[in-house]
């Protein structure tokens, strides 16, 4: 109970403020994913309520996010190509599967493995995410790069600005950004993003501006979400429960489960640091999975932790589970009570909000220090960023995997060079090699280069007291060396091998004569 009611006053107020900031993002992320606004809003509501109960980190806000929405775009488009409205059903199935994966990752303690994701990968991840969020706003600015002329004509009258609307939209977006970045210099009592939305909506209504609005995106909720399974007959807008369906959604679900947990763990680290506390990432992973399953069963999109809103909650006094619960309840209450007003919010206001989110998401500090950080870290960041941006559709999960792989290769090269072989000639017929460092598949070449296999004293001793053999390649390299030296007529003795290396050497098969620990 202490996690719920330790400080109810600030918890209630903070949850209410955070709900205001969640609404425009949930609507905007629905647009990115290609579904009606109510899908993102239902998701935000269900995720907040569920994670408040089962999450592993108190006061953290979970909702629809840009990183997960971007991964849904291709699946929704592919589903709609199979039949009108099937995109949403496939999306809900992907959400269910995402939740199953995340529960599995929690029990497999994936969080412990994610501790080894280097900073360069995280930097590339957030920079790619920031650019993708910004890129998704370009059609709403009249820069319609993703549609042909025929498609653009179909969208022009409803969703996308055209003709004389474009200059008006640009002016509103600029005014919104001025408010978002200028107001905090005067006061922080109310979120500047919320003020920007109110001001731009008032201008749009007052001057009767003919520009795209939230109503253009689709349906807003008129009631509470209801339980619904996405499986059924295609004629009813549902998808069959078979292997073909799961095969179609599997790549998207797997990507959302991993990318969502990565952003969640990053947010968790930030909150732990700011509150000087510790939380269980594996419990949070399972909680995220349960929340995504609940959201999908009630018609909401999958999501993960929100960095900006979670930090906002902490700064406004939220510390317990109550603030997270109140944010979800307040969000749905405001939607149901203010639906007519929400429908009139101009898309330009949401574009301004999303551009500010893109800027705050990017690792600007890392970009400023690009010339000073090690080249290997820069390479990893660029690899993560490039793979994400060059894949079609853009795949954040694949970018992260590519970055981790490159980081592992670069690290292996560095470790390989720390192996050293020192030579001591004890007499005309005796030579001693002292090996220091790690012997494995990458350091094999450097290890062999340290030995002279062309001269053959009668006795050769290889001292491995300061070395460790890690894998089959290391054992093979030592065997290869011993064989060459013995073919030249030398008697080879291996000494000082530690217990683990000796066990590996004996299991794989030693050709050494006189090898001992």
């Amino acid at each position: 109970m202490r996690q719920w009611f330790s400080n109810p006053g600030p918890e209630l107020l903070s949850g209410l403020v955070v709900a205001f900031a969640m609404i425009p993002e949930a609507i905007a992320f629905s647009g990115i994913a290609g579904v009606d606004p109510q899908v993102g809003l239902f998701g935000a509501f269900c995720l907040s309520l569920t994670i408040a109960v089962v999450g592993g980190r108190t006061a953290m806000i979970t909702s629809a996010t840009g990183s997960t929405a971007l991964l849904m775009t291709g699946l929704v488009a592919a589903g709609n190509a199979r039949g009108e409205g099937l995109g949403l059903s496939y999306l809900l199935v992907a959400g269910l599967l995402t939740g199953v994966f995340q529960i599995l990752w929690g029990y497999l303690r994936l969080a412990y493995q994610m501790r080894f994701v280097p900073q360069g990968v995280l930097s590339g991840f957030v920079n790619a995410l920031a650019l993708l969020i910004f890129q998704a706003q370009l059609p709403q600015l009249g820069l319609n790069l993703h549609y042909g002329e025929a498609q653009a004509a179909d969208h022009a009258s409803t969703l996308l600005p055209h003709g004389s609307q474009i200059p008006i939209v640009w002016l509103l977006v600029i005014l919104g950004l001025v408010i978002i970045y200028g107001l905090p210099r005067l006061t922080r009592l109310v979120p500047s993003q919320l003020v920007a939305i109110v001001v731009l909506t008032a201008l749009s209504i007052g001057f009767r501006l003919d520009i795209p609005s939230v109503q253009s995106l689709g349906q807003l909720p008129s009631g509470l979400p209801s339980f619904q399974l996405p499986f059924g007959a295609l004629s009813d807008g549902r998808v069959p429960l078979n292997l073909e369906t799961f095969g179609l959604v599997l790549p998207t679900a797997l990507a959302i489960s991993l990318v969502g947990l990565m952003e969640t763990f990053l947010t968790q680290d930030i909150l732990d640091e700011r509150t000087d506390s510790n939380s269980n990432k594996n419990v949070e992973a399972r909680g995220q999975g349960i929340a995504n399953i609940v959201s999908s069963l009630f018609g909401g999109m999958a999501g993960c932790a929100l960095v900006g809103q979670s930090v906002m909650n902490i700064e406004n006094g939220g510390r317990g589970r109550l603030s997270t619960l109140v944010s979800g309840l307040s969000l749905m209450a405001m939607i149901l009570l203010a639906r007519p007003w929400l429908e009139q919010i101009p898309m330009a206001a949401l574009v301004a909000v999303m551009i500010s989110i893109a800027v705050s998401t990017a690792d600007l500090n890392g970009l400023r220090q690009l010339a000073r950080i090690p080249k290997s870290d820069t390479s990893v960041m660029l690899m993560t960023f490039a793979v994400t941006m060059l894949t079609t559709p853009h795949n954040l999960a694949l970018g992260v995997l590519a970055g981790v792989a490159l980081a592992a290769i670069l690290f292996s090269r560095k470790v390989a060079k720390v192996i050293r072989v020192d030579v001591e000639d004890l007499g005309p017929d005796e030579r001693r090699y002292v090996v220091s460092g790690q012997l494995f598949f990458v350091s094999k070449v450097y290890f062999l280069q340290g030995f002279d296999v062309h001269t053959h004293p009668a006795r050769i001793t290889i001292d491995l007291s300061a070395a460790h053999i890690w894998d089959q390649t290391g054992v093979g390299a030592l065997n290869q060396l011993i064989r060459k030296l013995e073919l030249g007529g030398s008697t080879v003795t291996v000494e000082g091998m530690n217990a683990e290396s000796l066990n590996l050497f004996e299991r794989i098969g030693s050709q050494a004569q006189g090898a001992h620990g």
Side-chain angles (χ1 to χ4, degrees):
M1 295 300 289
R2 185 169 169 270
Q3 290 184 337
W4 284 93
F5 302 109
S6 59
N7 198 8
E11 296 279 327
L12 292 170
L13 180 61
S14 181
L16 180 62
V17 172
V18 168
F20 276 107
M22 290 170 66
I23 291 175
E25 289 194 14
I27 295 173
F29 292 142
S30 298
I32 290 176
V35 294
D36 287 344
Q38 75 169 16
V39 180
L41 293 169
F42 281 165
F45 172 66
C46 295
L47 289 168
S48 297
L49 263 61
T50 308
I51 207 69
V53 178
V54 300
R57 163 73 243 186
T58 59
M60 191 160 70
I61 304 300
T62 294
S63 180
T65 65
S67 59
T68 54
L70 286 164
L71 295 170
M72 300 171 186
T73 306
L75 178 63
V76 173
N80 287 333
R82 294 185 168 214
E84 187 63 32
L86 291 182
L88 175 58
S89 294
Y90 281 114
L91 179 62
L92 297 179
V93 176
L96 292 173
L97 197 54
T98 294
V100 173
F101 277 133
Q102 289 180 327
I103 293 172
L104 178 63
W105 303 149
Y107 281 111
L108 292 177
R109 300 179 179 270
L110 183 66
Y112 292 123
Q113 308 307 318
M114 284 195 172
R115 291 179 302 173
F116 303 112
V117 175
Q119 181 61 38
V121 173
L122 295 177
S123 180
F125 170 80
V126 296
N127 287 331
L129 174 59
L131 183 57
L132 289 173
I133 292 174
F134 176 78
Q135 185 178 309
Q137 310 315 307
L138 296 182
Q140 286 296 335
L141 294 172
L143 303 174
N144 196 7
L145 305 178
H146 300 293
Y147 295 95
E149 292 182 4
Q151 290 171 303
D154 293 338
H155 286 73
S157 61
T158 55
L159 180 58
L160 302 178
H162 61 283
S164 60
Q165 294 178 341
I166 295 177
I168 299 174
V169 168
W170 275 79
L171 288 173
L172 289 178
V173 170
I174 293 171
L175 176 60
L177 290 173
V178 169
I179 295 172
I180 289 171
Y181 289 107
L183 184 62
R185 299 188 178 188
L186 302 176
T187 179
R188 293 183 178 272
L189 291 177
V190 289
S192 61
Q193 293 176 334
L194 177 62
V195 174
I197 291 172
V198 171
V199 171
L200 296 190
T201 303
L203 289 174
S204 178
I205 295 173
F207 289 97
R208 298 183 179 179
L209 299 178
D210 180 24
I211 55 176
S213 65
V214 167
Q215 194 170 18
S216 306
L217 286 176
Q219 183 180 0
L220 284 178
S222 56
L224 294 174
S226 58
F227 181 84
Q228 56 179 315
L229 287 173
F231 304 108
L234 291 173
S235 58
D236 297 331
R238 302 187 179 187
V239 296
L241 178 60
N242 56 30
L243 291 178
E244 182 186 1
T245 298
F246 285 107
L248 181 65
V249 305
L250 179 62
T252 300
L254 187 59
I256 294 173
S257 71
L258 294 173
V259 170
L261 286 186
M262 177 170 287
E263 187 167 354
T264 296
F265 293 158
L266 179 63
T267 306
Q268 205 167 344
D269 286 337
I270 293 172
L271 297 192
D272 284 351
E273 181 180 349
R274 295 204 175 196
T275 59
D276 193 25
S277 59
N278 295 310
S279 56
N280 192 318
K281 287 187 172 66
N282 293 306
V283 172
E284 181 63 34
R286 297 194 291 271
Q288 290 285 327
I290 295 170
N292 279 322
I293 290 174
V294 171
S295 175
S296 300
L297 289 174
F298 283 87
M301 61 196 291
C304 64
L306 287 165
V307 179
Q309 278 72 7
S310 297
V311 171
M312 179 189 295
N313 190 32
I314 292 294
E315 290 178 345
N316 286 315
R319 289 294 185 275
R321 298 184 182 274
L322 184 61
S323 59
T324 305
L325 180 70
V326 169
S327 68
L329 293 173
S330 301
L331 176 142
M332 186 52 65
M334 285 186 284
I335 292 169
L336 297 179
L337 296 175
R339 183 182 177 221
W341 180 82
L342 289 176
E343 289 179 336
Q344 299 183 68
I345 296 175
M347 289 301 298
L350 298 186
V351 170
V353 170
M354 295 309 297
I355 290 175
S356 70
I357 291 171
V359 173
S360 63
T361 298
D363 182 17
L364 298 179
N365 186 52
L367 293 175
R368 282 192 290 265
Q369 297 181 353
L370 207 57
R372 286 180 284 182
I373 63 177
K375 291 182 179 179
S376 58
D377 290 348
T378 302
S379 300
V380 169
M381 186 270 284
L382 292 176
M383 173 64 80
T384 306
F385 180 85
V387 170
T388 299
M389 298 306 300
L390 293 176
T391 49
T392 305
H394 302 299
N395 195 323
L396 287 160
L398 192 59
V400 169
L401 290 175
V404 170
L406 179 60
I409 292 171
L410 294 175
F411 175 74
S412 297
R413 290 186 61 188
K414 289 180 180 179
V415 172
K417 294 179 180 178
V418 302
I419 197 165
R420 192 177 72 183
V421 180
D422 295 314
V423 184
E424 300 177 21
D425 285 320
L426 304 178
D429 295 323
E430 187 174 358
R431 177 174 294 171
R432 182 182 185 85
Y433 291 96
V434 180
V435 183
S436 305
Q438 314 303 314
L439 179 55
F440 64 119
F441 69 98
V442 177
S443 61
K444 169 188 173 181
V445 174
Y446 298 97
F447 169 74
L448 294 176
Q449 287 175 351
F451 292 85
D452 180 4
V453 295
H454 301 296
T455 59
H456 304 285
R459 295 183 300 279
I460 294 179
T461 301
I462 302 175
D463 186 356
L464 297 176
S465 301
H468 188 96
I469 303 175
W470 287 101
D471 61 7
Q472 184 178 2
T473 304
V475 172
L478 184 56
N479 275 331
Q480 176 185 342
L481 174 66
I482 294 170
R483 186 171 61 253
K484 284 186 177 182
L485 294 175
E486 289 183 336
L487 287 174
S490 300
T491 300
V492 181
T493 302
V494 180
E495 65 180 27
M497 199 181 296
N498 61 41
E500 187 176 344
S501 299
L502 183 60
N503 178 264
L504 177 65
F505 199 72
E506 290 176 341
R507 279 191 293 113
I508 294 178
S510 169
Q511 296 180 15
Q513 296 181 8
H516 59 277

